[in-house]
Amino acid sequence: MNFRARRVTLPAITPLCLQKRVIKVYSEDNTSRAVEVPSDITARDICQLFILKNHCVDDHSWTLFEQIPHLSIERTIEDHESVMEVQSGWGMDSHCCLYFRKNYAKYEFFKKPLDFFPEHMVSISSETNGIMNHSQLIQTFLSSSSCPEIHGFLHAKEHGRKSWKKFYFVLRRSGLYFSNKGTSKEPRHLQFIAEFSDSDVYTLLSAKKVYGAPTDYGFCVKASKSSSARDLKLLCADDEQTRTCWVTAMRLFKYGMQLYQNFIQPYQKQKSSPMRSISENSLVAIDFSGHKTRVIENPSEALSVAVEEGLSWRRKSCHRLSSHGSPSASQSSMSSIAIHMAQPWFHSKLSREEAQKLITQQGLVDGVFLVRDSQSNPRTFVLSLCHTQKIKHFQIVPK
């Protein structure tokens, strides 16, 4: 019996990391863009991609958010997280979405930890006698051998009830607990609520309206694979600083040193991102203002020059829009009056509530501000800004 050898051609197998997926990402104005990305792409990669596509200035504050509309919750997707893994936890009809926007407070606690962790809410099991500087405080959260603890009162919604009740909570590396006897921390009085190895912390977008919370400073703990409102551990703080403290501590307990690596990565000299082309990586900043051109090697100086050029371009655009036809004195005065219209910080017909929501979305960091038209006093403006994690409004009267 004769056998004839036959050549069989097998189909090429594409490694999982090289497979492409299409994802949709929303911007602040609710416009969306669909992009094809590798299946192993991270949140930082998505942000870098959209910074390039949208010609944004990369000041390390751009963030990818996960928003779950039917639960009215959202969270920051950490820079190292796999976007596909996040999406794998979404239900087929949940209408979850990704948002690309700024969050100045994302890593601000590494710079000013004492502002994020009030002394009366933090206990450290160490030999520091409670007196710590900012670097020691952060080190206790990053070191697995230390035992920092966050404690204080929070409102909690009991399962199966519409009412909220105030309890004394304790957050440790092992998880979140509440005391069933006043402020006692004895083991027999502490009831386990949640741990964070397979859970994430979210902020409530409409705590009062959707969940009947006593304040709008709500947050929750959600299991990664759960999409039901019944499984949420709903909590509510009395003010923004308290909520920020709890949420930040939960992020640190969950990710630890990885968060610090995310924070310092943009400031380190690293290999070029695969998202950028060779021509983009070879671009350099050049100063043409003097008699001789020079290469700007300082990244901070290059960034400030880019921002100033952008503002200059907006001023010229505004001037062109307000001075069609032959120039006149009235047109020239109108151009100077209307120049604020082209500034990125001016938001025109924005209400007080909308301004507060927008600033909160950008991160409650000192100095975040916008200017808007006054709704109560025509021909005047309002400066809305963040100071000590509180939003304040000041009226500006032109003279």
Side-chain angles (χ1 to χ4, degrees):
M1 185 177 293
N2 295 326
F3 292 92
R4 179 177 295 180
R6 179 175 294 179
R7 179 179 293 176
V8 178
T9 303
L10 296 175
I13 300 175
T14 304
L16 182 62
C17 62
L18 298 180
Q19 292 180 4
K20 298 286 187 177
R21 304 283 181 88
V22 176
I23 63 171
K24 181 185 287 188
V25 180
Y26 289 83
S27 299
E28 284 180 310
D29 58 1
N30 284 324
T31 59
S32 63
R33 174 180 285 185
V35 292
E36 188 179 48
V37 297
S39 59
D40 63 342
I41 197 165
T42 65
R44 184 189 293 277
D45 294 333
I46 293 289
C47 289
Q48 291 298 315
L49 177 62
F50 274 79
I51 286 170
L52 290 173
K53 285 184 175 291
N54 297 340
H55 306 288
C56 303
V57 175
D58 187 6
D59 56 1
H60 313 314
S61 64
W62 291 102
T63 306
L64 195 65
F65 287 84
E66 175 193 12
Q67 192 172 111
I68 307 179
H70 75 280
L71 297 178
S72 192
I73 61 176
E74 76 170 14
R75 74 174 179 100
T76 294
I77 302 178
E78 305 299 349
D79 286 339
H80 68 279
E81 285 190 79
S82 165
V83 176
M84 298 306 165
E85 286 187 15
V86 172
Q87 290 187 322
S88 68
W90 296 355
M92 294 298 293
D93 55 349
S94 61
H95 302 292
C96 301
C97 47
L98 301 172
Y99 271 86
F100 170 71
R101 68 170 188 261
K102 287 196 172 189
N103 179 14
Y104 291 104
K106 180 166 62 170
Y107 298 126
E108 190 71 8
F109 55 87
F110 283 121
K111 303 174 185 177
K112 301 177 182 179
L114 299 179
D115 292 346
F116 281 74
F117 301 106
E119 186 177 348
H120 68 277
M121 291 184 63
V122 183
S123 296
I124 308 294
S125 299
S126 64
E127 299 178 359
T128 57
N129 297 321
I131 303 174
M132 306 183 72
N133 58 34
H134 71 276
S135 61
Q136 291 173 320
L137 177 58
I138 283 296
Q139 191 60 39
T140 60
F141 281 100
L142 298 180
S143 174
S144 58
S145 61
S146 62
C147 302
E149 179 182 281
I150 304 295
H151 50 79
F153 284 97
L154 290 171
H155 303 273
K157 188 173 183 180
E158 299 181 87
H159 288 291
R161 298 186 180 182
K162 293 184 178 181
S163 61
W164 292 68
K165 192 173 181 180
K166 208 167 190 177
F167 293 97
Y168 188 77
F169 281 82
V170 178
L171 178 63
R172 296 171 176 167
R173 290 196 186 279
S174 57
L176 179 65
Y177 305 82
F178 77 92
S179 176
N180 58 18
K181 188 176 181 181
T183 58
S184 173
K185 295 182 184 179
E186 293 186 29
R188 61 195 178 100
H189 295 146
L190 292 181
Q191 301 291 314
F192 177 79
I193 292 290
E195 56 90 29
F196 302 98
S197 62
D198 195 34
S199 299
D200 295 293
V201 58
Y202 293 74
T203 56
L204 305 185
L205 298 178
S206 302
K208 280 186 174 181
K209 182 179 179 180
V210 177
Y211 293 100
T215 75
D216 270 326
Y217 308 111
F219 60 104
C220 70
V221 179
K222 185 185 84 68
S224 301
K225 301 300 181 182
S226 172
S227 59
S228 172
R230 293 176 298 179
D231 299 327
L232 300 181
K233 305 295 191 300
L234 296 168
L235 304 166
C236 182
D238 287 326
D239 53 67
E240 182 58 50
Q241 186 181 35
T242 302
R243 176 172 70 170
T244 301
C245 177
W246 286 97
V247 171
T248 304
M250 290 176 184
R251 289 174 61 203
L252 280 167
F253 280 144
K254 180 176 175 66
Y255 296 108
M257 187 58 74
Q258 181 64 62
L259 278 191
Y260 184 71
Q261 294 297 330
N262 294 347
F263 165 60
I264 65 174
Q265 184 177 344
Y267 302 100
Q268 294 177 328
K269 290 184 179 180
Q270 296 182 329
K271 294 182 180 180
S272 300
S273 168
M275 289 292 179
R276 300 177 66 95
S277 65
I278 296 175
S279 60
E280 286 171 328
N281 284 319
S282 62
L283 293 177
V284 293
I286 300 178
D287 179 14
F288 293 97
S289 60
H291 295 292
K292 294 182 178 180
T293 60
R294 68 181 182 91
V295 175
I296 303 175
E297 297 181 350
N298 187 332
S300 299
E301 183 185 359
L303 177 61
S304 64
V305 169
V307 172
E308 181 57 36
E309 285 187 355
L311 293 177
S312 176
W313 179 84
R314 289 189 179 94
R315 294 190 194 103
K316 290 177 182 177
S317 298
C318 180
H319 179 74
R320 287 194 299 269
L321 289 172
S322 58
S323 57
H324 287 299
S326 58
S328 63
S330 61
Q331 288 176 330
S332 179
S333 62
M334 283 299 294
S335 174
S336 62
I337 291 174
I339 195 168
H340 64 278
M341 300 288 290
Q343 301 301 321
W345 41 257
F346 185 69
H347 289 262
S348 188
K349 307 293 183 181
L350 204 66
S351 68
R352 183 187 183 97
E353 292 74 21
E354 290 171 332
Q356 293 193 171
K357 181 180 179 181
L358 182 58
I359 292 176
T360 301
Q361 286 181 341
Q362 300 282 319
L364 293 179
V365 175
D366 285 0
V368 176
F369 78 98
L370 59 83
V371 177
R372 55 190 173 86
D373 289 323
S374 173
Q375 292 186 316
S376 59
N377 193 354
R379 297 190 179 184
T380 63
F381 304 97
V382 176
L383 170 65
S384 301
L385 59 84
C386 177
H387 179 60
T388 64
Q389 295 186 356
K390 295 180 180 178
I391 300 174
K392 301 180 180 180
H393 307 271
F394 302 93
Q395 194 168 77
I396 302 173
V397 182
K399 291 186 178 180

